[in-house]
């Protein structure tokens, strides 16, 4: 098939985004990957649960199947399909040291889609990650490569677009390359938050802000025990951390996006600066250290810290003048505090107030039953029915670990509340729980470790037995217990047995598992493997040459994390 058919005849004009002096990013290299004006549902550096957003979420007018175009000359170096994450994705490597990513796609252009199907049938799996040679699929700037969609971890139709440094594989801010949106709206500063020596201990002081002309002024403090006289806030003396709650908007959209640069000044001198321009995937989870995770978990508000907590290993986005961005009030004098927020288009908002030290409040009494866990250290806990070790990278600040247990007649073990869900951990660790009931030998492979944060998040993981303990890999504090999982996944279809499906383009099944999740699945037609794809609980097969005209038998099998299996059969005709 000729490639020329997929060339876009014209390119939309680009306008350069705001940049720091001496910016190294080229301004005319990349074009809009769609042929509609860019409107954003999300931008680079946004705080998301467990990660920073790594690109632009470009709205597709609530529709799927918009043409997607190569942003610059290069070659398709990778294609990937996955039930979560980016879904259907294309990576293009460019000759100037950059790689672009196009994600949540529905389909690729025909010759690439044909190649993908061939690879899926050869490997007998639909979720593939394929690296390609430069000579296989070269592309020109403006050449169509795919159609937009809603695949993977996507809740609405859009195109996720990234520009990466090919050598480091770090995502870069695409708006620094001339890709920008129509936006003359300055960021909105909602709150300024002050912290003591530990983000997780004590109560932060929240100061609400109100716009007065082009600036924001404090209106009230969120801690009635501290005073605010006009625009002067009395805070504890010492090294104080400052956080900000900021929303940014663009023209024609109600979506909130994030700022590009935030600066903190004390008496006119810059104390800290945060720049959203380069965040690697290897450090993206440090968003839980960059933000006040406790406030986020308890109130859903994103407060971004202009200082670094001890366990925060982010480096590139910060610039400090000293003390990791904290302000120094040890001289007991009154100081002017200014915060300056700039978005990607150069729109700027400023907040100004005065801070004055006050008498230090007594620190809250520590839990007498807690165990000190130190940041940067290996920490272990071993109790009668629960045991775990977290390494030196897990904590972002010191905590005093509290573990409580309560009996539960319906569970296989006691329920263990392991500290508090609002304290973040950086990665997975092995948690061991000992059952309080005898588990028959033939059911030991059916044990699941259950989890809840007590609010809106539940989890279930298959657990393996080890010297009488059951172990699973987890990465959150919260409440854990053991339960038995002997229930197979439930497979359903709207199609009746013997149905005539000749007018349908695809066959769809739903598969749900109450306890854990679907670990593996496969579908065959007349005993031959066919390519079923997964999107959430939906599993669909697009009819192709592997299902010809006539009568056929479909067999679909699914297995959960604990090895429980289900089989669904359907006679159909085409």
């Amino acid at each position: 098939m000729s490639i020329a058919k997929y060339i876009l005849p014209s390119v939309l004009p680009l306008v350069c985004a705001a940049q720091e002096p001496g910016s190294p990013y080229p301004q005319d290299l990349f074009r809009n990957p769609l042929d509609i004006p860019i409107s954003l549902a999300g931008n680079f550096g946004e705080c998301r649960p467990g990660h920073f957003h790594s690109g632009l979420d470009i709205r597709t007018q609530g529709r799927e199947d918009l043409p997607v175009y190569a942003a610059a000359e290069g070659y398709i170096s990778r294609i990937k399909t996955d039930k979560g994450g980016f879904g259907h994705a294309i990576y293009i490597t460019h000759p100037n040291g950059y790689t672009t990513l196009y994600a949540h796609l529905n389909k690729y252009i025909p010759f690439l889609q044909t190649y993908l199907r061939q690879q899926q049938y050869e490997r007998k799996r639909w979720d593939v990650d394929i690296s390609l040679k430069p000579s296989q699929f070269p592309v020109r700037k403006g050449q169509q490569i795919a159609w937009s969609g809603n695949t993977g971890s996507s809740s609405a139709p859009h195109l996720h677009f990234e520009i990466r440094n090919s050598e480091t594989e770090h995502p870069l801010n695409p708006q620094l390359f001339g890709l920008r949106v129509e936006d003359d709206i300055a960021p909105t500063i909602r709150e300024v938050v002050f912290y003591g020596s530990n983000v997780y201990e004590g109560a932060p002081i929240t100061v609400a802000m109100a716009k007065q002309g082009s600036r924001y002024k404090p209106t009230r403090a969120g801690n009635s025990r501290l005073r605010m006289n006009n625009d002067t806030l009395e805070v504890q003396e010492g090294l104080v951390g400052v956080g900000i709650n900021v929303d940014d908007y663009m023209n024609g959209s109600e979506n909130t996006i994030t700022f590009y640069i935030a600066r903190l000044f004390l008496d006119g001198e810059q104390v800290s600066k945060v720049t959203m321009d380069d965040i690697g995937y290897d450090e993206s989870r440090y968003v839980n250290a960059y933000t006040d995770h406790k406030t986020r978990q308890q109130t859903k508000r994103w407060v971004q810290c202009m200082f670094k907590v001890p366990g925060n290993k982010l480096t590139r986005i910060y610039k400090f003048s000293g003390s990791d961005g904290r302000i120094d009030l040890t001289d007991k004098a009154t100081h002017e505090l200014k915060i300056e927020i700039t978005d990607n288009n150069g729109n700027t908002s400023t907040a100004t107030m005065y801070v004055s030290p006050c008498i230090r409040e007594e620190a809250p009494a520590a839990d007498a039953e807690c165990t000190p866990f130190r940041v940067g250290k290996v920490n272990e806990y071993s109790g009668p029915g629960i045991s775990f070790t977290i390494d030196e990278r897990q904590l972002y600040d010191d905590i005093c670990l509290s573990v409580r247990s309560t009996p539960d007649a319906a569970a296989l073990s006691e329920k263990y509340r392991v500290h508090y869900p609002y304290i973040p951990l950086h990665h997975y660790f092995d948690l061991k729980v000992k059952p309080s009931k005898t588990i028959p030998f033939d059911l030991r492979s059916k044990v699941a470790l259950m989890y809840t944060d007590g609010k809106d998040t539940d989890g279930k993981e298959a657990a393996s037995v080890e010297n009488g303990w059951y172990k699973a890999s987890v990465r959150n504090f919260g409440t854990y217990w053991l339960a038995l999982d002997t229930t197979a996944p439930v497979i359903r279809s709207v199609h009746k047995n013997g149905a005539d499906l000749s007018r349908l383009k695809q066959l769809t099944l739903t598969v749900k598992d109450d306890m854990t999740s679907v670990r593996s699945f496969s579908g065959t037609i007349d005993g031959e493997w066919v390519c079923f794809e997964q999107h959430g609980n939906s599993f669909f097969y697009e009819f192709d040459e592997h299902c010809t005209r006539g009568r056929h038998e479909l067999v679909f099998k699914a297995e959960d994390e604990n090895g429980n299996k289900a089989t669904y059969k359907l006679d159909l005709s085409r």
Side-chain angles (χ1 to χ4, degrees):
M1 182 173 292
S2 171
I3 296 178
K5 179 180 178 181
Y6 299 98
I7 302 293
L8 181 70
S10 62
V11 176
L12 296 176
L14 301 176
V15 183
C16 295
Q19 296 190 54
E20 293 287 270
S23 172
Y25 303 114
Q27 295 300 291
D28 58 357
L29 179 60
F30 297 108
R31 55 145 291 168
N32 181 351
L34 299 174
D35 57 5
I36 58 174
I38 294 178
S39 177
L40 297 180
N43 67 339
F44 183 87
E46 272 187 346
C47 299
R48 302 281 178 90
H51 67 282
F52 289 97
H53 191 238
S54 53
L56 303 181
D57 281 348
I58 305 176
R59 295 150 64 103
T60 54
Q61 301 175 333
R63 298 181 290 154
E64 299 183 23
D65 295 322
L66 270 63
V68 178
Y69 303 96
E73 177 185 357
Y75 71 95
I76 297 174
S77 54
R78 182 183 178 191
I79 53 176
K80 184 177 181 180
T81 58
D82 194 358
K83 65 179 179 180
F86 293 137
H88 292 198
I90 288 178
Y91 298 74
I92 297 179
T93 297
H94 306 281
N96 46 23
Y98 298 107
T99 297
T100 50
L101 163 66
Y102 314 74
H104 307 307
L105 306 169
N106 269 354
K107 283 189 175 182
Y108 309 138
I109 47 176
F111 62 83
L112 191 59
Q113 188 71 25
T114 298
Y115 177 81
L116 169 66
R117 279 287 184 263
Q118 291 172 347
Q119 293 297 310
Q120 289 171 323
Y121 273 92
E122 284 183 13
R123 304 177 189 205
K124 287 186 168 51
R125 61 180 304 140
W126 80 272
D127 51 337
V128 295
D129 189 351
I130 304 170
S131 296
L132 302 167
K133 298 177 181 178
S135 59
Q136 287 182 272
F137 299 109
V139 292
R140 297 185 291 276
K141 184 175 183 177
Q143 177 182 325
Q144 186 180 349
I145 56 173
W147 284 268
S148 69
N150 188 29
T151 58
S153 298
S154 174
S155 58
H158 72 280
L159 174 69
H160 177 87
F161 175 71
E162 291 183 18
I163 300 176
R164 298 184 182 181
N165 180 312
S166 297
E167 182 178 355
T168 66
E169 296 187 355
H170 283 191
L172 307 171
N173 188 338
Q175 289 183 261
L176 302 181
F177 291 82
L179 291 174
R180 60 161 284 183
V181 298
E182 182 182 352
D183 178 11
D184 57 13
I185 303 172
T188 300
I189 303 173
R190 305 287 186 191
E191 299 168 322
V192 177
V193 185
F194 295 85
Y195 298 89
S197 59
N198 190 304
V199 172
Y200 309 125
E201 304 293 340
I205 307 165
T206 300
V207 180
M209 307 299 291
K211 190 173 183 179
Q212 298 179 0
S214 61
R215 292 177 178 265
Y216 287 78
K217 298 289 186 182
T219 58
R220 65 185 184 278
N223 189 327
S224 60
R225 298 174 64 187
L226 298 173
R227 294 176 298 174
M228 185 166 64
N229 300 319
N230 296 322
D231 58 356
T232 299
L233 178 71
E234 294 182 343
V235 300
Q236 294 180 5
E237 61 185 86
L239 292 175
V240 177
V242 176
I244 52 175
N245 178 8
V246 176
D247 286 330
D248 192 25
Y249 298 89
M250 52 169 282
N251 297 42
S253 174
E254 295 181 355
N255 287 87
T256 59
I257 50 181
T258 197
F259 58 79
Y260 170 41
I261 295 174
R263 292 183 173 93
L264 175 66
F265 299 88
L266 191 68
D267 298 326
E269 297 293 327
Q270 181 173 291
V271 175
S272 70
K273 175 184 174 184
V274 174
T275 305
M276 294 299 180
D277 60 351
D278 181 341
I279 304 174
Y281 276 103
D282 58 335
E283 56 189 12
S284 189
R285 189 165 171 80
Y286 283 110
V287 68
N288 291 337
Y290 165 71
T291 59
D292 178 352
H293 190 72
K294 181 178 179 180
T295 293
R296 173 62 185 173
Q297 292 298 98
Q298 293 180 333
T299 69
K300 304 299 183 184
R301 290 157 40 234
W302 286 111
V303 177
Q304 302 176 61
C305 297
M306 297 294 295
F307 61 99
K308 282 180 70 172
V309 295
N312 184 357
K313 304 302 181 185
L314 283 169
T315 55
R316 278 170 291 273
I317 68 170
Y318 290 116
K319 184 177 181 181
F320 300 132
S321 62
S323 301
D324 283 341
R326 294 178 183 268
I327 60 175
D328 188 350
L329 302 180
T330 55
D331 61 4
K332 301 183 180 181
T334 299
H335 298 271
E336 181 192 58
L337 183 73
K338 184 175 78 171
I339 296 168
E340 184 180 276
I341 310 294
T342 303
D343 67 16
N344 283 283
N345 286 36
N347 304 302
T348 300
S349 291
T350 302
T352 305
M353 69 179 71
Y354 293 88
V355 289
S356 177
C358 67
I359 299 174
R360 183 181 298 274
E361 296 180 4
E362 293 184 4
D367 187 337
E369 299 181 18
C370 73
T371 302
F373 270 33
R374 304 302 184 192
V375 65
K377 305 289 185 182
V378 175
N379 296 278
E380 300 180 7
Y381 180 87
S382 182
I386 188 168
S387 175
F388 61 91
T389 300
I390 61 175
D391 67 28
E392 67 280 0
R393 299 171 297 160
Q394 283 280 23
L395 294 176
Y396 303 133
D397 215 335
D398 293 341
I399 63 171
C400 201
L401 183 84
S402 172
V403 178
R404 304 288 175 84
S405 63
T406 55
D408 188 332
L412 295 177
S413 68
E414 293 194 13
K415 283 191 172 180
Y416 295 95
R417 193 214 68 192
V418 184
H419 208 55
Y420 306 106
Y422 58 73
I423 302 296
L425 293 167
H426 192 63
H427 51 247
Y428 286 92
F429 66 99
D430 287 339
L431 181 71
K432 298 179 182 179
V433 175
K434 180 170 285 188
S436 57
K437 299 176 181 179
T438 301
I439 301 175
F441 183 82
D442 60 341
L443 293 179
R444 291 183 180 180
S445 63
K446 306 298 184 182
V447 175
L449 182 67
M450 313 297 288
Y451 168 81
T452 181
D453 66 357
K455 295 177 66 176
D456 53 9
T457 301
D458 296 323
K460 303 113 178 175
E461 297 290 340
S464 60
V465 63
E466 183 180 282
N467 298 323
W469 296 71
Y470 284 84
K471 179 179 70 174
S473 184
V474 301
R475 67 173 176 183
N476 296 296
F477 287 138
T479 301
Y480 290 93
W481 70 98
L482 298 178
L484 205 58
D485 177 16
T486 58
T487 305
V490 176
I491 306 173
R492 290 193 174 95
S493 172
V494 298
H495 309 297
K496 294 182 178 180
N497 202 43
D500 181 359
L501 306 183
S502 58
R503 295 185 178 181
L504 297 183
K505 292 183 179 180
Q506 69 180 34
L507 186 155
T508 302
L509 306 174
T510 60
V511 186
K512 296 183 179 180
D513 191 78
D514 287 338
M515 288 289 287
T516 55
S517 60
V518 176
R519 177 173 62 187
S520 62
F521 65 91
S522 66
T524 62
I525 290 182
D526 301 330
E528 297 295 326
W529 186 88
V530 291
C531 187
F532 269 87
E533 297 196 11
Q534 180 180 2
H535 190 185
N537 292 324
S538 296
F539 296 73
F540 60 90
Y541 162 63
E542 292 191 0
F543 289 114
D544 55 17
E545 68 275 15
H546 297 275
C547 185
T548 57
R549 297 291 179 183
R551 299 193 64 82
H552 302 281
E553 181 188 50
L554 166 72
V555 178
F556 187 89
K557 298 180 179 180
E559 181 177 348
D560 70 13
E561 300 289 344
N562 281 102
N564 300 301
K565 300 177 181 178
T567 300
Y568 174 84
K569 295 183 179 181
L570 177 70
D571 292 327
L572 61 94
S573 62
R574 289 283 293 161

